[in-house]
Amino acid sequence: MAGSNINQPLLDQLPKTLQNVDSRRRRLRRLKSAPMPEFIPGEMNDIKDNQSLPRYESILNKLHPSFRKVILYLVIYLGIGTTCFYFVQNQIQGKKVNGVLDSVYFCVVTMTTVGYGDLVPNSSTTKLLASFFVFSGMALVGMVLSKGADYLVEKQETLLIKALHMRDKVGPSVILEEVETNKVRYKCFVITATLVVLIVVGTVFLAEVEKLSTIDAFYCVCSTITTLGYGDKSFSTKVGRIFAIFWILTSTICLAQFFLYVAEFNTERKQKELVQWVLSRKMTNVDLEVADLDNDRAVGAAEFVVYKLKEMGKISQDDILLLLDEFECLDVDQSGTLSTTDLSLAQSS
């Protein structure tokens, strides 16, 4: 108590302007972003519908909702495709090993656009079916399966970070912060390692089971995962086609995700370079004039932040205008500030 009484006169002597700046700074630092939604609107509706049903423990219930959708759509696609191609198997020419297995194999090769040519449609009906399933399969891979692959990569990314900090006693907050900071980089590491494993496994399998030479096996792997599918080398045995159903699907999607993450990494790197340049650049009088949104010849903290965010490319003028329009709609009493009364009036109207 005595120490506080001694320091009080010193505090009273501080310029009021400095005290106001400090209070504004503390007020700005207390601002927190809105909580991020954990589910997309579609998933929220699914969860509300499922809450009324009895909950039974199963493997599917433990999976992420988006991953359950991936499995569901894939099973439906393969089920319908296999059934259709099975009934027209006599109109498909090529080397066959089993009716059902060949149908599933042909469906996967069509969906991933690998198209070896070891099984080809030989009638108008099968050609029309193949045309339909190749477009629907590409849409399934692009919109659904890639989301499932991204979810799996994120899970492996978290496990990788935990393994790197195994000897360090760090909490979940530290791991979460590192995930958010280097998210794209870790994704590239994980997807690259997965792709290398798939290439090695495919090469070894083709050499051991399909009796191809090492060069031919590697050549077949590369032509498959890039969906070239020359067709001179492919899976021709029963065991090989069972393996191909799973391997082709995962390897082609993995390669597509690899290029996606590399492009995302390059974009993020350029964005960080731009941010660093903006933060290191010195302000000029011209910058102050541009940043002065209300033309009062003084730039406040909010105006400075908005100007710098625009320079960094994180927001645009259109974004600012949309937010200002929303603010004006909520500011019912036209006071220039928002209060609980404004919100109540805006919601009631």
Side-chain angles (χ1 to χ4, degrees), residues 16 94-95 97 114 124 132 168 193 195 204 232 239 287 320:
K16 292 184 178 180
K95 186 175 182 180
V97 295
V114 171
S124 300
F132 170 77
D168 304 330
L195 186 60
V204 172
D232 51 342
V239 177
D287 294 325
I320 297 173

Side-chain angles (χ1 to χ4, degrees), residues 198-210 212 217-218 221:
L198 288 171
I199 291 175
V200 172
V201 169
T203 303
V204 172
F205 184 89
L206 284 166
E208 295 295 328
V209 178
E210 298 290 338
L212 299 179
F218 181 71
V221 165

Side-chain angles (χ1 to χ4, degrees), residues 129-233:
L129 279 175
S131 300
F132 170 77
F133 277 99
V134 70
F135 280 110
S136 58
M138 291 175 65
L140 180 66
V141 170
M143 294 187 299
V144 180
L145 296 186
S146 59
K147 291 183 179 180
D150 190 55
Y151 168 71
L152 289 178
V153 169
E154 288 183 356
K155 296 290 288 184
Q156 297 300 318
E157 172 194 355
T158 306
L159 293 176
L160 173 62
I161 296 174
K162 288 182 179 180
L164 292 175
H165 293 285
M166 187 177 296
R167 296 183 179 180
D168 304 330
K169 294 182 178 180
V170 296
S173 59
V174 177
I175 295 177
L176 181 61
E177 183 180 355
E178 185 166 353
V179 168
E180 292 299 324
T181 304
N182 301 306
K183 187 174 185 178
V184 180
R185 179 179 298 177
Y186 283 123
K187 277 186 176 182
C188 289
F189 289 158
V190 171
I191 202 68
T192 301
T194 306
L195 186 60
V196 170
V197 170
L198 288 171
I199 291 175
V200 172
V201 169
T203 303
V204 172
F205 184 89
L206 284 166
E208 295 295 328
V209 178
E210 298 290 338
K211 304 304 179 182
L212 299 179
S213 66
T214 304
I215 299 298
D216 287 341
F218 181 71
Y219 161 77
C220 182
V221 165
C222 293
S223 64
T224 300
I225 65 176
T226 56
T227 69
L228 276 174
Y230 288 121
D232 51 342
K233 304 295 180 184

Side-chain angles (χ1 to χ4, degrees), residues 327 331-338 342:
F327 181 87
D331 186 17
V332 179
D333 58 3
Q334 302 296 316
S335 62
T337 58
L338 293 181
D342 290 324

Side-chain angles (χ1 to χ4, degrees), residues 273-286:
E273 291 176 356
L274 176 61
V275 169
Q276 187 63 32
W277 177 81
V278 170
L279 294 176
S280 60
R281 191 176 71 86
K282 294 182 179 180
M283 290 283 290
T284 63
N285 292 332
V286 176

Side-chain angles (χ1 to χ4, degrees), residues 307-321:
Y307 177 71
K308 285 295 183 180
L309 288 176
K310 286 176 64 179
E311 268 197 321
M312 294 175 185
K314 295 184 179 295
I315 59 172
S316 64
Q317 186 65 31
D318 293 335
D319 298 329
I320 297 173
L321 293 177

